[in-house]
Amino acid sequence: TTTTTTTTTNEPTLTQYEAERNARIQKNIERMKSFGIDDARKKVMTMESKHKNNATTSLLSKKRVKKRSENATQMDRSKQPRRTSSRVRGEKAPDVFVPDERNLWEPTYNEEIYTQRQVSNLGDRKSEWQLFVSGYDQQGRRLYDNNRGVCCHQCRQKTLGTHTTCRKCNMMRGKFCGDCIFMRYGENVLEINENPEWECPVCRDICNCSFCRTKKGWMPTGNMYRAAIASGYKSVAHYLVLSRQDDEEKAKLCEEEAERVAERLQREEKRRIQENPELYAKEQEERRNRPHWLKNKK
């Protein structure tokens, strides 16, 4: 049984266990004092505080000395004129605006000029290539395949069908689908794959894809195959390189030759329309109503 000790003061009543516990705590404190632990702790704290104060005092004293030396070299602030802005002093602000006549919203491009080496690197073909057949189904829809398809460097579409392989770099940038290599560079993919020394347009420095043209600071062409053919050129690359070559005389001769070819094509188209007006009207109607990839191919 536990007994309680009663006192006449307002202190809380302690049990026998609590009283014994307090006695043991007091005994341990006295024992630690006899070892000198408390004095050692106070001595260490005093040394740390003194070291910190000395460091702070030395730093502050250096700042004060520096500030006093600076103030000694300067004039008394009370004797200096009051600082005010030019607007308060009534001075006219300088006209720093310089009008720019350029339209900053329009991108700027480098001048597009081709060398004679690039002109000689233009490709050619012996036979025509039928568009929208290789890599298309019977309904004229393009066949996309993430696993078996090959990504074309020009159109950047991963499709089935015949693609080129560059014999020089042997990289993915040398992969062109049959339609792109024909429309953009005037070459036949079947003839290319039989040539063991064929180099891709990137290696020949005549690539006109949007990535390569942007790297050179040139404006991307977009889809301009029909415009190049209507102008009398064999492909988009022939139109760009021959009309913008550094030799002006040769460029003029190429333009004259292209004009004659364009006139001949116009005469042939006009003759075809006159000979088959119903067939031409049917073709125009289908072109207006349907895109080419939805036409049934026989």
Side-chain angles (χ1 to χ4, degrees):
T1 61
T2 58
T3 59
T4 58
T5 59
T6 58
T7 57
T8 58
T9 61
N10 294 329
E11 294 180 357
T13 304
L14 297 178
T15 63
Q16 182 179 358
Y17 168 77
E18 292 175 341
E20 293 176 355
R21 177 175 175 272
N22 291 341
R24 287 195 301 270
I25 292 174
Q26 187 65 28
K27 183 178 179 181
N28 291 333
I29 292 174
E30 296 295 336
R31 188 179 181 185
M32 291 176 64
K33 289 182 179 180
S34 64
F35 292 156
I37 295 177
D38 189 50
D39 296 337
R41 182 180 65 84
K42 293 180 179 180
K43 186 176 181 181
V44 171
M45 293 179 62
T46 304
M47 293 175 62
E48 290 181 354
S49 177
K50 184 177 180 181
H51 179 71
K52 186 183 295 186
N53 293 335
N54 291 338
T56 307
T57 306
S58 60
L59 182 61
L60 292 175
S61 61
K62 291 180 180 179
K63 290 184 178 180
R64 292 192 187 99
V65 171
K66 184 178 179 181
K67 189 173 182 180
R68 288 169 185 170
S69 60
E70 291 178 355
N71 293 337
T73 57
Q74 294 180 356
M75 296 176 60
D76 188 3
R77 293 182 178 272
S78 61
K79 298 179 181 180
Q80 294 181 358
R82 184 180 180 183
R83 294 192 306 171
T84 56
S85 64
S86 58
R87 180 184 62 81
V88 175
R89 292 194 300 266
E91 298 178 2
K92 184 179 179 181
D95 189 6
V96 297
F97 175 74
V98 179
D100 193 348
E101 298 179 356
R102 299 176 302 169
N103 188 356
L104 301 179
W105 294 102
E106 293 183 0
T108 57
Y109 299 101
N110 298 332
E111 186 178 4
E112 185 176 353
I113 299 177
Y114 296 90
T115 62
Q116 294 304 308
R117 179 176 174 273
Q118 291 171 311
V119 173
S120 62
N121 287 338
L122 288 172
D124 198 358
R125 62 178 181 270
K126 297 178 181 178
S127 59
E128 297 296 323
W129 169 262
Q130 189 173 1
L131 295 173
F132 313 124
V133 175
S134 177
Y136 292 79
D137 60 6
Q138 296 181 353
Q139 284 74 32
R141 294 173 296 190
R142 205 165 189 185
L143 300 174
Y144 298 92
D145 195 316
N146 292 330
N147 298 324
R148 297 179 299 163
V150 179
C151 184
C152 173
H153 177 78
Q154 186 74 37
C155 63
R156 295 187 286 278
Q157 301 298 315
K158 198 171 186 179
T159 60
L160 301 175
T162 309
H163 289 74
T164 63
T165 300
C166 181
R167 310 300 180 180
K168 183 178 180 180
C169 65
N170 197 21
M171 297 173 63
M172 287 303 300
R173 69 181 189 181
K175 298 291 184 180
F176 289 80
C177 63
D179 291 352
C180 286
I181 200 67
F182 178 79
M183 292 188 293
R184 304 293 297 193
Y185 305 96
E187 304 178 46
N188 192 322
V189 65
L190 300 179
E191 299 174 0
I192 288 173
N193 292 337
E194 294 177 357
N195 184 5
E197 299 179 355
W198 183 80
E199 297 180 5
C200 65
V202 182
C203 293
R204 286 179 282 165
D205 196 23
I206 58 172
C207 182
N208 52 54
C209 74
S210 60
F211 282 170
C212 293
R213 288 183 62 86
T214 303
K215 289 180 181 178
K216 296 179 180 179
W218 298 346
M219 180 179 180
T221 62
N223 187 7
M224 61 178 306
Y225 170 68
R226 295 183 182 276
I229 297 300
S231 300
Y233 293 91
K234 189 178 297 185
S235 67
V236 176
H238 289 77
Y239 169 74
L240 295 173
V241 176
L242 296 178
S243 62
R244 292 172 172 82
Q245 55 182 312
D246 52 3
D247 194 333
E248 296 182 358
E249 295 182 0
K250 292 184 179 181
K252 187 176 181 180
L253 293 176
C254 292
E255 290 178 359
E256 293 175 356
E257 178 65 22
E259 289 178 0
R260 289 192 290 269
V261 174
E263 292 176 358
R264 178 174 58 82
L265 293 176
Q266 290 178 2
R267 290 195 299 268
E268 293 177 356
E269 181 68 15
K270 187 176 181 180
R271 189 184 307 113
R272 189 178 73 88
I273 294 173
Q274 292 176 353
E275 293 175 356
N276 302 302
E278 296 180 356
L279 179 61
Y280 176 77
K282 184 178 179 181
E283 291 177 354
Q284 293 297 319
E285 185 66 21
E286 290 181 352
R287 183 176 298 177
R288 284 193 297 268
N289 295 336
R290 295 183 182 180
H292 65 81
W293 59 83
L294 294 180
K295 294 180 182 178
N296 293 328
K297 298 183 180 293
K298 296 182 180 180

